[in-house]
Amino acid sequence: MFKTISQALKVKEIRGKMIFTLLMLVVFRIGSNIPVPGINREYLAQMFSGDNMGLFELFNLFSGGAFNNFTIFALSITPYITASIIVQLLTIAFPYFERLAKEGMEGRKKMAQITRYMTIVLALIQGLGLTVGLFKQTIVDQSWFTFIVITLILTAGTAFLMWLGEQINEYGIGNGISLLIFGGIVARIPSGIASVWNKYQEGTMSIITLLLFVIFAILVIVGIIEIQQGTRRIPVQYAKRVVGKKMYGGQSTHIPLKVNQAGVIPIIFALSILQFPLTIMYFFPNTPFYEFCEKYLSPGGSPGVWVYAVLNVLLIIFFNYFYTAVTFNPVEVAQNMKANGGFIPGIRPGRPTVDYLSKVMSRISIVGAIFLAVIATLPTIISQYTGLNVHFGGTSLLIAVGVALDTMRQLENQMVMRNYQGFLK
């Protein structure tokens, strides 16, 4: 990795893209610290003084702390992520979106435009909900004009981040939206280390617990790298065919099926469902509903930690299979192979190929699902028995390592493309 970065810095064009990406991330971090006007900061600090804030902590993870501080980037790019997932699901339910997905570049442009409009609508709804709901008591001037202004500021912040991500895609290195999430996660690492160190100095955490935590973090990072890079290669043979006076085909290749095809999406879906009742209970304190959620559904409850862990595992496995089925279509892969004269050795083209690909994908998906479940569940159990607030530690590491690997892969591709261009010249 360091060798690749050092070589890339020697190339003027790639060095410019890397500097541009870093500057965009700096702009993102500056905006994450600009507070929304007219807010009572002391009351806001009291709202998020607890360790377990339910779904709010997930929002805070994606915003890099901007949500808790109610800054102009408090919504982060979560509306864009939601809109992207909705558009992907619509390609299955509606023929119009399915047709757009198959139209190539023009179809992708239209889908990107629909995603942008949907992002603005979702940002307006979420911004209004936060302003007149959760953060209402922190607003000094309780007038509708103030509510509308704050809602527009939050929506504009999300639109700006969406534009920032697109600028990184066009002029920088890596996926812009993913890098913004990565920047928010990395920005919280120093405060997390300081919190752990303070607990150690105060005597609330022993040196053994600290060492076990460090070893656990290293093992998780190594495991994430192995699973993220892991693929099952399905061999494909292309038959020779004569077109005019030229012969095509005859070569062997493979289809790489990723072990973790769904990425971090199953964890996000599962956390959203599990954290929803824990979020609602904060609006109904001192009620039987609050006591029930605190005891049986909260990761800090007595039997609740195990109920939470079991439900988390089951939901992650379910959403892993669901999202893999959405993103990987064995029928389409089999049809493309057949149309180009390709076949899997020992497997007949057509329906047998579809069944074989579905069978292989189902088997490797269970490995990815179990891996995601372990990554997402272990931090909850560790938090219960060590007192460390790492409920979202596994998710943070998974996102950060995955984005880092993807960015390095794109950087290497840029280097390879440049070498090919130099060879052709």
Side-chain angles (χ1 to χ4, degrees):
M1 180 186 72
F2 292 110
K3 182 180 179 181
T4 303
I5 294 175
S6 62
Q7 291 178 348
L9 289 173
K10 297 177 183 178
V11 183
K12 182 178 179 181
E13 181 183 355
I14 300 179
R15 183 173 66 246
K17 290 184 176 182
M18 294 172 66
I19 294 174
F20 179 84
T21 303
L22 290 175
L23 290 176
M24 293 299 100
L25 291 177
V26 170
V27 172
F28 163 64
R29 289 309 305 162
I30 292 174
S32 298
N33 290 279
I34 300 176
V36 171
I39 301 297
N40 187 337
R41 313 308 301 179
E42 296 180 358
Y43 189 87
L44 182 66
Q46 294 176 4
M47 282 182 57
F48 297 100
S49 58
D51 291 332
N52 182 23
M53 292 303 298
L55 194 58
F56 304 147
E57 184 63 27
L58 182 61
F59 293 155
N60 204 43
L61 168 66
F62 287 134
S63 64
F67 182 83
N68 281 11
N69 296 323
F70 203 33
T71 67
I72 60 174
F73 292 161
L75 293 180
S76 186
I77 42 84
T78 49
Y80 180 84
I81 296 174
T82 306
S84 300
I85 294 172
I86 291 174
V87 170
Q88 286 186 12
L89 295 177
L90 289 176
T91 57
I92 301 175
F94 294 94
Y96 172 74
F97 288 93
E98 184 180 359
R99 190 166 61 252
L100 286 179
K102 295 179 180 179
E103 285 183 358
M105 184 64 69
E106 291 299 321
R108 286 195 293 270
K109 286 182 179 179
K110 290 181 181 179
M111 292 181 68
Q113 191 175 17
I114 294 172
T115 304
R116 293 191 195 101
Y117 290 142
M118 192 177 296
T119 300
I120 299 301
V121 173
L122 290 175
L124 280 170
I125 296 173
Q126 292 183 18
L128 184 62
L130 289 177
T131 303
V132 301
L134 178 65
F135 292 101
K136 183 178 180 180
Q137 301 301 322
T138 66
I139 300 174
V140 178
D141 183 13
Q142 297 283 321
S143 65
W144 275 105
F145 177 78
T146 305
F147 294 157
I148 293 173
V149 169
I150 293 177
T151 302
L152 292 177
I153 289 174
L154 295 176
T155 305
T158 296
F160 179 77
L161 288 180
M162 183 171 57
W163 176 82
L164 209 64
E166 292 177 352
Q167 295 303 303
I168 294 176
N169 291 340
E170 186 171 355
Y171 302 108
I173 296 288
N175 183 282
I177 301 300
S178 300
L179 282 173
L180 292 179
I181 300 175
F182 174 82
I185 293 173
V186 171
R188 299 181 66 190
I189 291 178
S191 61
I193 294 176
S195 175
V196 172
W197 181 252
N198 288 335
K199 289 185 177 181
Y200 170 70
Q201 287 186 325
E202 292 171 359
T204 57
M205 183 176 61
S206 63
I207 184 65
I208 297 177
T209 304
L210 179 61
L211 291 176
L212 289 176
F213 174 73
V214 173
I215 293 173
F216 169 76
I218 294 174
L219 291 177
V220 167
I221 292 173
V222 173
I224 290 172
I225 294 173
E226 292 294 327
I227 295 296
Q228 289 289 94
Q229 299 287 74
T231 56
R232 168 71 185 274
R233 297 185 175 185
I234 305 297
V236 178
Q237 180 71 37
Y238 285 93
K240 293 182 179 180
R241 52 196 177 96
V242 179
V243 180
K245 294 182 179 181
K246 293 184 178 181
M247 180 176 293
Y248 297 91
Q251 75 271 20
S252 298
T253 182
H254 65 271
I255 302 174
L257 300 181
K258 294 185 66 176
V259 176
N260 185 21
Q261 182 76 19
V264 75
I265 296 298
I267 294 181
I268 296 173
F269 280 8
L271 286 175
S272 300
I273 292 176
L274 288 175
Q275 296 291 331
F276 183 74
L278 300 180
T279 305
I280 297 298
M281 77 179 191
Y282 283 99
F283 296 97
F284 303 97
N286 302 322
T287 61
F289 175 75
Y290 184 95
E291 295 176 359
F292 175 83
C293 292
E294 183 70 23
K295 183 176 181 180
Y296 293 103
L297 299 179
S298 172
S302 179
V305 61
W306 300 108
V307 175
Y308 184 94
V310 171
L311 290 176
N312 198 22
V313 170
L314 294 177
L315 286 172
I316 287 174
I317 293 175
F318 168 76
F319 283 120
N320 184 77
Y321 274 94
F322 173 77
Y323 197 76
T324 300
V326 171
T327 56
F328 179 76
N329 188 351
V331 176
E332 186 177 345
V333 174
Q335 289 176 349
N336 290 336
M337 278 198 305
K338 187 176 180 180
N340 292 284
F343 62 93
I344 300 174
I347 306 296
R348 291 177 177 273
R351 190 66 197 176
T353 300
V354 175
D355 295 338
Y356 177 77
L357 290 175
S358 300
K359 181 181 178 181
V360 172
M361 199 70 226
S362 177
R363 287 183 174 179
I364 64 175
S365 291
I366 190 62
V367 178
I370 293 174
F371 163 75
L372 291 177
V374 170
I375 291 296
T377 306
L378 274 183
T380 302
I381 298 175
I382 290 175
S383 300
Q384 175 69 13
Y385 292 103
T386 64
L388 294 173
N389 186 18
V390 290
H391 294 105
F392 294 89
T395 309
S396 303
L397 286 175
L398 183 62
I399 296 173
V401 174
V403 173
L405 291 174
D406 182 64
T407 305
M408 288 305 304
R409 193 179 300 113
Q410 291 194 31
L411 186 60
E412 291 173 354
N413 291 339
Q414 292 275 348
M415 297 291 294
V416 171
M417 288 173 60
R418 180 181 177 278
N419 291 334
Y420 273 125
Q421 289 176 357
F423 175 74
L424 291 174
K425 290 178 182 178

